[in-house]
Amino acid sequence: MPNKQLFATMDSEAKAAAFSGTFLVKSTSLIAASGAYGYADKAGERLNRPDTRFGIASGCKLFTAIAVCQLAEQGKLALDSKVMDILERTAFPHFSPDFTVHQLLTHSSGIPDYFDEDTMEDIAELWTTMPMYLLRRLEDFLPMFRELPMTFAPGTRFHYNNAGYILLGLLVEKLSGITFTDYVEESIFGACGMKDSGYFALDALPGNTAQGYIVKEDGAWTANIYSIPVKGGADGGAFVTAPDMLLLWEGLLRHKLLGPEMTALLLTPHVHKDEEEYYGYGVWITKRGGEVYKYHVMGYDPGVSFHSAYYPASGTAAAVLCNQSRGAYRMSRIIEECLDPQADA
C-alpha cells in the first residue's frame, strides 16, 4: 500500500522548494510513494512524468563498477591487475606503473583527474579550453589528464577521481571488444529490464527526456547543453528513469548482474572517507552503529542532481532525479526522515 504520510510530506516539500523532477520509493517491491513535478522542457511547457528520463551525472559510476566486476567474473581481468599492464603504458608517460583496477574502483589510484571536485567548483570551467561538443567517446577525455603527474602514491588514500573511471571504461572497451556505452546498455540495462535508460547525446535526446536547467537566483534559466559533455560515459552522464534505477538495485541485489561473491565484494566498504562514510566499488556506503545503513549513489552536474539509495534493514529503495543543479539532496533527506525519524541524513 502507498505510504500516504510519506507522499504528503514529499509532495509538500516538492511544492515548497519548486522541485523539478521525480521521486520513487519502494519497500519490498511495493510502491510507497512517487511523484513528478516541474517541466522536462520549460520552453515547450512539457511536464516531467514518473517515467521521464533524467541525466544522473556521476550516479552511474556504479554501472562502470558492475561492468568491470562482470569482466573479472569472466576471467578477463583480475581486480589486483596493474592497469598499465593492460592499457597502452606509453600513452600515460607520467603515470605510475603500479596502480591497480581495485584502486581505480575505490578512488585510491593517485592518478591525476581532469576535473578535481576539491579544487574546481564548476565543471563548465573546463570548456574554456576543451569544447564540450567534442567529448563523445572515452578517448576524447584523455588529452585533459594523460600528460599530468601522479597526485599521490597508489593505494595511500582516497581522493574522488573522475579520470579513474574513464580508464575503467577503456578497460571495458578493450576487454569486451565493444564501446563502453554499448556494453552497459546490453549487459547491465538489458539484464535488469531498464528499457528506458541509455547514454544519449545532448544534441539527439530521445522523447520523454528531461532537459537540464541552470536556474539563477532571480529565476532566470538556461539549458545545460554548453555546460557538460555532449555524451556521457564511464564517469557519468547516463540517462535513467526512477523506475529503471530501482530495477538496477533489484538486479544487483538479486544477483542478475553478478554472482553472490562478486556482489558482496562490490558492496564491501573498501576505503574510509570520513566519519561513517565509506566507498565500495562505484557505490557509497553509510554505516551506523557499525552496521550498513544504506548503499547509495549520487550525481551532480550543472542542470543535474540525483540521489538513489538502498536501505538493507527495511528493504527500501529510493530514487530522486532532478533536472536542476539542486533539489535531489533535500528530497532524499525528507525520505530518510520519514522512513527513520531518528536518522540524520
Side-chain angles (χ1 to χ4, degrees):
M1 293 289 292
N3 185 322
K4 293 182 180 179
Q5 182 177 355
L6 173 60
F7 173 75
T9 304
M10 296 289 291
D11 182 61
S12 176
E13 175 64 24
K15 292 173 179 176
F19 174 69
S20 180
T22 65
F23 67 84
L24 177 61
V25 184
K26 279 189 175 184
S27 182
T28 60
S29 299
L30 298 177
I31 294 176
S34 66
Y37 303 83
Y39 289 105
D41 175 5
K42 287 180 176 289
E45 297 186 342
R46 176 168 56 88
L47 294 171
N48 282 319
R49 304 182 343 198
D51 63 346
T52 295
R53 302 175 176 95
F54 290 82
I56 63 169
S58 289
C60 54
K61 283 185 171 69
L62 176 57
F63 309 155
T64 305
I66 292 169
V68 171
C69 288
Q70 286 179 337
L71 294 174
E73 278 194 329
Q74 297 165 19
K76 294 183 178 179
L77 85 167
L79 296 175
D80 61 357
S81 296
K82 293 182 178 180
V83 176
M84 291 294 96
D85 289 344
I86 304 173
L87 298 180
E88 183 59 50
R89 184 178 299 184
T90 57
F92 308 94
H94 306 297
F95 285 17
S96 165
D98 297 326
F99 67 92
T100 65
V101 175
H102 166 87
Q103 289 165 348
L104 287 182
L105 287 166
T106 57
H107 301 285
S108 58
S109 68
I111 71 164
D113 199 359
Y114 73 87
F115 177 61
D116 189 333
E117 298 181 13
D118 285 352
T119 60
M120 297 179 66
E121 293 185 358
D122 187 355
I123 194 172
E125 297 173 21
L126 294 173
W127 318 135
T128 59
T129 56
M130 170 64 77
M132 82 296 296
Y133 55 80
L134 297 178
L135 300 174
R136 295 177 182 270
R137 302 172 303 172
L138 296 180
E139 55 263 35
D140 295 334
F141 288 82
L142 296 183
M144 294 193 289
F145 68 92
R146 71 193 310 169
E147 298 285 344
L148 299 176
M150 297 287 290
T151 59
F152 56 85
T156 56
R157 62 188 178 94
F158 173 93
H159 187 77
Y160 192 83
N161 190 306
N162 294 285
Y165 271 67
I166 294 291
L167 294 191
L168 289 171
L170 291 173
L171 288 176
V172 171
E173 291 190 337
K174 183 168 185 177
L175 298 174
S176 70
I178 60 176
T179 67
F180 171 81
T181 54
D182 282 349
Y183 181 93
V184 172
E185 290 173 353
E186 294 172 12
S187 298
I188 297 176
F189 296 170
C192 292
M194 299 167 63
K195 59 183 178 62
D196 293 321
S197 299
Y199 290 83
F200 311 123
L202 294 181
D203 54 4
L205 291 176
N208 196 26
T209 302
Q211 172 68 64
Y213 291 101
I214 302 165
V215 182
K216 299 179 181 179
E217 291 185 5
D218 63 0
W221 54 266
T222 59
N224 68 348
I225 57 173
Y226 299 121
S227 301
I228 58 177
V230 70
K231 186 174 181 180
D235 65 332
F239 286 81
V240 307
T241 67
D244 276 3
M245 191 62 212
L246 267 56
L247 286 175
L248 186 283
W249 286 115
E250 179 182 326
L252 177 63
L253 296 164
R254 293 189 178 182
H255 310 305
K256 295 179 181 179
L257 299 171
L258 299 166
E261 183 177 348
M262 189 62 76
T263 300
L265 187 62
L266 181 141
L267 296 174
T268 295
H270 292 290
V271 295
H272 181 224
K273 183 181 183 294
D274 54 41
E275 298 181 348
E276 295 184 304
E277 200 70 16
Y278 298 79
Y279 202 82
Y281 287 164
V283 62
W284 294 96
I285 302 166
T286 302
K287 286 187 173 184
R288 290 193 177 150
E291 300 294 329
V292 172
Y293 169 66
K294 65 178 176 179
Y295 302 105
H296 60 115
V297 292
M298 68 189 84
Y300 287 90
D301 267 339
V304 177
S305 60
F306 165 76
H307 277 257
S308 184
Y310 176 76
Y311 304 86
S314 64
T316 300
V320 181
L321 302 92
C322 178
N323 60 328
Q324 296 181 172
S325 303
R326 292 186 298 272
Y329 170 75
R330 178 58 188 165
M331 296 294 284
S332 295
R333 181 164 182 166
I334 294 295
I335 291 171
E336 293 190 356
E337 290 173 351
C338 290
L339 294 175
D340 180 4
Q342 303 302 315
D344 181 16

